[in-house]
Each structure stands twice: as C-alpha cells, then as structure tokens.
Amino acid sequence: MHPLPQVPRGTHDLFEEESLAGLRAIQRGAMDLFRAAGYQEIETPMFESVDLFKRAVGEGSDIVNKEMYLFAENPAEPGKDILCLRPEGTAPVVRAYLQRHEHMKRPISRWCYSEPMFRRERPQAGRLRQFNQVGVECFGGKSAHYDAEVIALAVAVARLAGDFPIQVLINNLGDPGDESRAAYLEHLRTYIDGQSGFCPDCRVRREKNVLRVFDCKVPQCQDLLKQAPQLADHVSGEAREHHETVLGLLKDLNIPAKTSPGLVRGLDFYSRTVFEVVAPEATGAQAGTLVGGGRYDTLVNDLGGPAVPALGFAAGVERLLMAGQAAAAKKADISLLPLGEAARRKAHVLAASWRAEGFSVQVLFEEKSLKKALAWASKEGGPLAAILGENELSAGEVVLKNLETHTQEQTPFEQAAAWIRRQKDV
Ligand code: HAM
C-alpha cells in the first residue's frame, strides 16, 4: 500500500468552518480599508522572473539567497529563463508600474493587493511556506504625509484581527546615496572589526550588506550591537526632518510609535522610513511581527524607471489571525469573587474601576463557597483572584491572591489595581 499523500511541509489546507472564514474576513476588511483610502486593487502573476527579485530585494537577502522556489521556464533548458514563485509583493508591483508607464498617467498611484506568497523558510509557528499578504504600494508621494497614511493603514489592518496590544516600531535608514550614510556604514564596519565576539555569519554580513548584522539572532551579537553606532544618528538633515515629521503626524493620529534603531528589515530596497507593527504578547519565532513596510525611494529608478519615490507595507494574514485567536483565548487578568449580596453589588464598581485601568476582569455572581469560588477562578481565569467577603467589604479592602505563587495580601480598594499591575509585570 502507498502511504497517504500529505500536504507539503509548511503549507496547510484551509476549511471554511475552521480558519478560512476568519482569513477571508481579514482579507475583505483590509481591502475595504484600502479602497476607502483611494487604493485600487492590483493582481500580478504568481510567478515572475527570478532576476526581478534579485535586483529588487537584493542577492544578499535571505529571501533571494535561500528561500526562493525556482523552476526553469522550459525544463529541457534547465539553466535558462529561471522563474520563481512570488516571495513578496513589492517587486512585481514596481515591475507592473514600470511596464505600463504608470508615472506618465498620474502623479500618485495607490495600489493594494491580497495575494499568496511563497518562501522556502523553515516552518514554525507563524512561519509558513505559502502564506497570504494584504498590502499597499504607493508611488509618487515624497512627503511625510504618505508615510503617516501608510502606517495608519497598517495599524488599522492589524486592528482588524482583534483587540490585542500592538506596537509600531519605526526607524530611519536615511538615503542610499547619502554621504553621511556611506560614512556610517564605514563606521559600523570599523566597530565590527574592533570586536572579536561577532559570529561568523555577522562577519559575512559585514562584507555583503553590513546593516544586516542588526537582524542577527545570536544573543552575543545582539549585546555587541547595543553599543554599535546608530544609523539614525548619522542620516542627513533632510532625512532626519522627514522622520521627525512622520513621528509628529503619528502622534496626531494617536498611534504610539517606538523608534527602534536596530530595525533594518530583511529586504535591500528600503530608504528613510522602515516600520513594523508587532504584537508584543504573541509567542513563537517572528510570529509577533504582523506587518512590515517602508519607503523605497530609489527602487523604481534602480529597476530602470524614472526617479519616483514610493512606499508601502504588507501584513501577514495568517499571523494576524493567529494573534487574534490567541487574544480571544486569553483568560481574564483577574477573577473577582464576591461572597454575599452586598459584596456582589460592590463588585460591579470594583470591576469597572479595574477595567478602566486596562485589566480584564471576570466576576463570579453565583452563590458559592469560597473553596468552590476559587476552584472556578483557577479553571476559568488567569492566576489572579480577588476575594470580597463581608469583613473586607466593611473595611474597604479586598483579598488579592496569586493562585500560581500561592501568595496573598489584603489591600485597600484604591491600591488593588497597582497590585494587579505588579503581578502582571513579574
Ligand atoms: P516582509 O516583512 O518580508 O515584507 O513581509 C511582510 C509580512 O508578511 C510579515 O510581517 C509577516 O506578517 C508576513 N510574512 C512574511 N513571511 C512569512 C511567512 N513565512 N509565513 C507567514 N507570514 C509571513 C514584505 O514582504 C514587503 N514586500 C513589504 C513591503 C511592501 N514593503 C514595502 N512595501
């Protein structure tokens, strides 16, 4: 008997009753957001000439170097006309932009897409070999307003997946031709040469594309990089001003962005703004990076077109779905267990005040013994419980228990939220 055929490694069958419905909802939601901002849909072929990605994404990048699915146009001529499955969406969209002389038609072109991508990566949680991206590419916009528009859209897409904490990480890579950037790269090489602790891969990166050292996952390299010269301190005045304006606009939009000097991103085409939207509470290698994007002001020109500034981002739909599901499965920060009717009345007020502090609170309104109430909290909630008996109620206090560490203390109502925060921060 032949073994049963299996789905290829790093890929999944998707079923409507399981994750497919959620996936499609995010794709539709994202495309609606994009259209509402004036972006029009584009679909490019699932395969392209490998040379396009070599030129755009860069031969030093992992995507081109290790992760392409390659095949010859004609199997009888294996070395000729090599095609690859599309690993990312920016290069094909730039190719389409150039091919139809789009820059002659309108000053600003805004395009969006919802497409599968293919990368031969080592499969892990949130890292697939076929995955879906939704994204935008905007051509012709030089000012910081476009950066803010694109980042705001990226945040809105991440919010489609659920109500979980997200963060925007942002960095300024300056302009490729900039003298100060060239001087910085030399600075960084000198710093690496002066340290013996960098791993062999970082030595190779030093030669091929030195900025990539910031992507190294080796803890010792990460430590050494904390002391390394920072690109953001060396970029030209114009690029710095651009960055400051982007940060100001994000502030106006109430989008908290954290400048992250080590964020360089794994594709070679970026200049000035690079950003990621991450879910800090997600677990799994890279699973928390939901969106990646940035400016690529020289790429259109590098691929043979006019000097048109451009920028965009792509979000991983499976990663968004995972982050949303994890958040939905998350148990309440604290279970509040009032004992007796007077305590149950007070519980509404206490729970509301803790929720206002940003905690999720579930209240047990059933009449149960303390033992049964604690058993319910262990089963249905996280590790924290608050007991409000008659004595505590008359003292204006609550008993706070950590069911995992078996510690407890009695605290005035006003200090309970600070206790919850301390326990969560451990
Ligand atoms: P990227 O950072 O390579 O950027 O990918 C964007 C997003 O796609 C990631 O943040 C992640 O959510 C998802 N993703 C990437 N690889 C995988 C994988 N193996 N499995 C599951 N999800 C994955 C780009 O692709 C650029 N084209 C983005 C861009 C557009 N920059 C400017 N315009």
Side-chain angles (χ1 to χ4, degrees):
M1 270 252 297
H2 290 297
L4 285 179
Q6 300 286 314
V7 73
R9 211 161 99 78
T11 68
H12 292 292
D13 299 316
L14 301 171
F15 300 93
E16 179 154 3
E17 59 188 355
E18 293 165 10
S19 49
L20 191 55
L23 199 101
R24 292 279 181 259
I26 293 176
Q27 288 171 322
R28 273 195 298 272
M31 294 305 270
D32 287 348
L33 282 171
F34 299 155
R35 281 196 200 95
Y39 288 74
Q40 290 200 335
E41 184 169 1
I42 173 170
E43 186 175 292
T44 63
M46 251 181 233
F47 58 88
E48 294 269 354
S49 158
V50 70
D51 293 333
L52 174 66
F53 297 100
K54 282 190 181 166
R55 287 174 65 190
V57 180
E59 298 210 47
S61 67
D62 280 354
I63 294 180
V64 168
N65 227 353
K66 309 186 199 156
E67 297 169 0
M68 300 277 240
Y69 283 101
L70 300 166
F71 55 99
E73 162 69 41
N74 177 358
E77 295 182 288
K80 241 181 101 191
D81 299 332
I82 305 297
L83 300 170
C84 66
L85 294 183
R86 176 186 57 205
E88 65 89 43
T90 309
V93 171
V94 173
R95 179 202 45 68
Y97 178 87
L98 290 173
Q99 211 169 330
R100 63 189 238 142
H101 305 292
E102 181 73 12
H103 68 284
M104 313 242 245
K105 302 195 170 114
R106 47 186 72 82
I108 303 290
S109 298
R110 290 177 163 107
W111 285 336
C112 59
Y113 50 89
S114 171
E115 296 175 332
M117 306 291 164
F118 307 85
R119 296 185 194 176
R120 210 169 52 79
E121 292 195 78
R122 200 149 55 83
Q124 285 183 33
R127 200 195 277 163
L128 301 161
R129 290 184 163 181
Q130 174 173 340
F131 57 97
N132 291 282
Q133 284 187 343
V134 288
V136 302
E137 311 295 345
C138 172
F139 296 88
K142 192 170 167 44
S143 84
H145 294 291
Y146 292 95
D147 304 54
E149 173 178 287
V150 161
I151 295 172
L153 274 174
V155 168
V157 167
R159 295 238 158 96
L160 286 174
D163 184 18
F164 49 84
I166 54 172
Q167 206 174 33
V168 176
L169 305 179
I170 189 166
N171 196 17
N172 178 8
L173 297 186
D175 296 310
D178 207 334
E179 262 176 45
S180 48
R181 173 157 152 173
Y184 165 76
L185 297 180
E186 229 9 78
H187 234 60
L188 183 59
R189 286 192 196 99
T190 312
Y191 174 78
I192 295 169
D193 294 344
Q195 306 288 336
S196 55
F198 277 105
C199 72
D201 282 349
C202 277
R203 302 264 160 224
V204 176
R205 291 180 184 115
R206 183 216 174 277
E207 302 305 320
K208 278 194 163 172
N209 182 347
V210 66
L211 275 183
R212 274 292 137 62
V213 294
F214 286 102
D215 288 336
C216 185
K217 297 286 175 296
V218 177
Q220 193 176 339
C221 298
Q222 279 300 325
D223 274 350
L224 288 169
L225 288 166
K226 284 189 192 131
Q227 313 299 326
Q230 305 290 345
L231 178 50
D233 297 336
H234 289 77
V235 299
S236 71
E238 210 187 309
R240 196 172 305 181
E241 225 169 84
H242 181 96
H243 186 65
E244 290 303 320
T245 313
V246 175
L247 293 180
L249 291 167
L250 293 179
K251 205 158 165 220
D252 292 351
L253 283 165
N254 263 331
I255 295 176
K258 189 171 153 212
T259 300
S260 183
L263 182 72
V264 292
R265 312 242 324 112
L267 302 86
D268 280 355
F269 49 60
Y270 292 113
S271 53
R272 296 200 175 187
T273 309
V274 283
F275 70 95
E276 288 183 349
V277 182
V278 298
E281 289 180 10
T283 48
Q286 294 176 5
T289 308
L290 308 177
V291 181
R295 268 196 176 272
Y296 44 94
D297 286 346
T298 56
L299 182 60
V300 176
N301 187 234
D302 290 346
L303 289 182
V308 174
L311 73 169
F313 74 82
V317 185
E318 285 81 0
R319 292 220 187 144
L320 289 172
L321 199 63
M322 262 178 65
Q325 283 167 346
K330 194 175 155 256
K331 303 209 161 167
D333 289 326
I334 187 159
S335 303
L336 176 53
L337 313 173
L339 305 172
E341 188 55 23
R344 281 193 281 275
R345 292 186 77 97
K346 178 68 183 176
H348 289 284
V349 181
L350 270 186
S353 70
W354 297 346
R355 288 184 194 122
E357 296 275 337
F359 304 116
S360 53
V361 186
Q362 61 171 3
V363 186
L364 177 69
F365 287 121
E366 300 307 306
E367 180 86 55
K368 282 194 198 293
S369 67
L370 176 59
K371 196 168 158 215
K372 288 219 166 117
L374 284 170
W376 174 83
S378 301
K379 184 158 174 271
E380 304 291 341
L384 307 183
I387 302 159
L388 186 62
E390 271 173 29
N391 291 343
E392 289 86 29
L393 185 62
S394 50
E397 295 186 339
V398 62
V399 173
L400 298 164
K401 256 175 138 27
N402 187 321
L403 305 171
E404 258 168 23
T405 58
H406 304 291
T407 51
Q408 77 170 52
E409 61 185 74
Q410 191 159 332
T411 308
F413 292 151
E414 313 77 60
Q415 290 168 25
W419 180 87
I420 303 171
R421 184 162 299 113
R422 277 199 305 280
Q423 297 288 317
K424 272 180 58 93
D425 286 346
V426 174

